[in-house]
Amino acid sequence: MRFTSEELQAARDRLVPDVAASGLRVLFCGINPGLMTAVTGHHFARPGNRFWPVLHASGFTPRQFAPAEQQELLAHGLGITNVVARPTAKADELSAEEYREGGRLLAEKVAQLRPSWLAVAGVTAYRVAFGDKHAAIGPQERTLGDTRIWALPNPSGLNAHWTLATMAEEYGRLRAAAFADASVQAP
């Protein structure tokens, strides 16, 4: 599906609803919606974004979902939100203040939804939003209540030093941790 520049620019004011419910195993958290996501209303909708292929390759989903199938994640104990709600063409259009405010609002959302894991797809966004300038990819020491946090590589096609395979490996480490409880089976 192709959109005109005007259609994309008009989406800058649209809010993209979360795919979320209480008690998820993993609440994935993007940096902010891109304009393609804002136009379609589907998270990680840009064709070059590797979120959906990585989710499948890491074992979170039984097949590769299309962005329009995002609601199906809930049946697998998964959801999606963002650090910052404002759509932009690029994440560098966001201010540090927006990240910090987004982190505060995200903490409130996590307190309400109580997922087992919050998985922030973008370690730099995590660092700024939560004031942890030394955070690295992987599980974090910080928790939000009982919710553990994992910083993941950003699946954007612009993040070229992470390949599909290396991202799938890191996302797979999170999946193993999230479904380690013997009473819960991975999808």
Side-chain angles (χ1 to χ4, degrees):
M1 193 177 319
R2 306 230 356 127
F3 296 97
T4 67
S5 177
E6 292 79 19
E7 289 172 316
L8 291 171
Q9 293 307 315
R12 288 183 179 271
D13 296 328
R14 293 188 188 156
L15 289 179
V16 179
D18 291 341
V19 175
S22 295
L24 297 170
R25 294 307 277 176
V26 180
L27 179 60
F28 288 97
C29 182
I31 297 170
N32 74 308
L35 297 182
M36 182 74 71
T37 288
V39 167
T40 64
H42 303 128
H43 293 272
F44 301 101
R46 187 173 181 87
N49 193 292
R50 298 172 290 178
F51 178 77
W52 299 102
V54 166
L55 218 56
H56 173 61
S58 63
F60 272 111
T61 59
R63 63 177 176 80
Q64 184 175 321
F65 293 151
E69 297 175 298
Q70 64 187 11
Q71 293 295 353
E72 292 188 34
L73 292 176
L74 296 172
H76 299 280
L78 310 172
I80 306 174
T81 190
N82 288 290
V83 175
V84 177
R86 181 171 73 91
T88 60
K90 295 181 181 175
D92 65 6
E93 295 177 42
L94 301 173
S95 68
E97 183 178 313
E98 285 179 286
Y99 278 110
R100 288 189 294 273
E101 176 65 6
R104 186 187 69 73
L105 294 172
L106 184 57
E108 289 177 5
K109 189 178 297 185
V110 166
Q112 182 180 41
L113 296 175
R114 302 179 61 177
S116 298
W117 287 90
L118 173 66
V120 181
V123 69
T124 303
Y126 172 78
R127 288 175 185 152
V128 178
F130 290 98
D132 185 354
K133 61 184 170 182
H134 300 294
I137 296 291
Q140 305 301 304
E141 289 186 29
R142 173 192 304 263
T143 61
L144 296 173
D146 291 335
T147 299
R148 303 219 31 221
I149 302 170
W150 197 293
L152 291 168
N154 183 338
S156 166
L158 299 175
N159 188 8
H161 69 274
W162 280 87
T163 66
L164 183 70
T166 58
M167 275 195 290
E169 185 177 318
E170 186 60 32
Y171 280 56
R173 288 183 352 121
L174 167 60
R175 185 188 57 75
F179 292 94
D181 181 336
S183 66
V184 178
Q185 295 298 311

